[in-house]
Amino acid sequence: MDMTNLYRHIIMDHYKNPRHKGLKGYKQNHLRNPSCGDDITIEANIEDKVLKEINHEGTGCSICCSSASIMSELLTGKSVEEAKAIIEDYYHLIKGEPLVNEDILEDALAYQGVSQFPARIKCATISWKALEELIGENIE
Ligand code: ZN
């Protein structure tokens, strides 16, 4: 299996079997991407500067919905500082820029092809922006 197929498989797996889907009533942030129809709500339970739990709910394209799942899985249990570093590197990935630390992105590396499709950048980043705003500091 080449990397393109592997990444497509990861994205479709999270699209069809989303992890952390369903809101439980923590602090929420709702963002929409009208150009694609993505409509996503992210919630986070942040205690002692740790992301104890992240959940998502919404509708949208496969890139948007799968990235909400992958982000929730990847950032749950991370400290706010770790999450910020991962979010920052994810934005570098999506823009096709050099990464500070490739290893921390894990399954999120599946979106590296998005940099070649500028129209999809919002789809791939909307969930991450929603969480970034929840964390409370714009690091882009
Ligand atoms: Zn989309």
Side-chain angles (χ1 to χ4, degrees):
M1 191 183 277
D2 68 28
M3 291 309 274
T4 306
N5 282 335
L6 172 64
Y7 289 150
R8 191 175 298 132
H9 175 79
I10 291 170
I11 290 170
M12 290 315 292
D13 180 45
H14 278 269
Y15 180 55
K16 289 177 179 165
N17 309 295
R19 280 65 136 183
H20 301 262
K21 191 173 169 81
L23 302 176
K24 296 183 181 173
Y26 299 118
K27 194 178 164 200
Q28 296 178 0
N29 191 19
H30 176 225
L31 289 183
R32 290 172 60 246
N33 172 16
S35 65
C36 179
D38 299 328
D39 186 305
I40 194 97
T41 300
I42 299 291
E43 71 170 18
N45 177 21
I46 304 172
E47 278 177 30
D48 301 326
K49 297 190 176 177
V50 172
L51 293 156
K52 300 266 187 192
E53 186 170 349
I54 304 166
N55 299 306
H56 61 95
E57 185 65 72
T59 54
C61 65
S62 59
I63 303 254
C64 168
C65 293
S66 62
S67 68
S69 173
I70 286 176
M71 181 207 69
S72 300
E73 193 170 66
L74 181 60
L75 298 185
T76 293
K78 297 287 194 293
S79 72
V80 167
E81 288 306 313
E82 289 170 326
K84 282 180 183 174
I86 293 169
I87 291 168
E88 195 167 10
D89 242 2
Y90 182 75
Y91 292 157
H92 288 316
L93 177 85
I94 296 300
K95 292 176 187 165
E97 297 167 356
L99 303 177
V100 177
N101 183 354
E102 184 174 313
D103 294 339
I104 58 177
L105 289 178
E106 299 182 24
D107 277 359
L109 285 171
Y111 297 95
Q112 62 180 252
V114 171
S115 62
Q116 292 159 43
F117 303 94
R120 309 311 299 275
I121 286 176
K122 261 194 173 174
C123 302
T125 55
I126 185 169
S127 302
W128 296 70
K129 284 206 181 300
L131 183 76
E132 182 189 4
E133 289 177 8
L134 272 179
I135 290 175
E137 214 181 304
N138 194 321
I139 57 168
E140 195 182 20

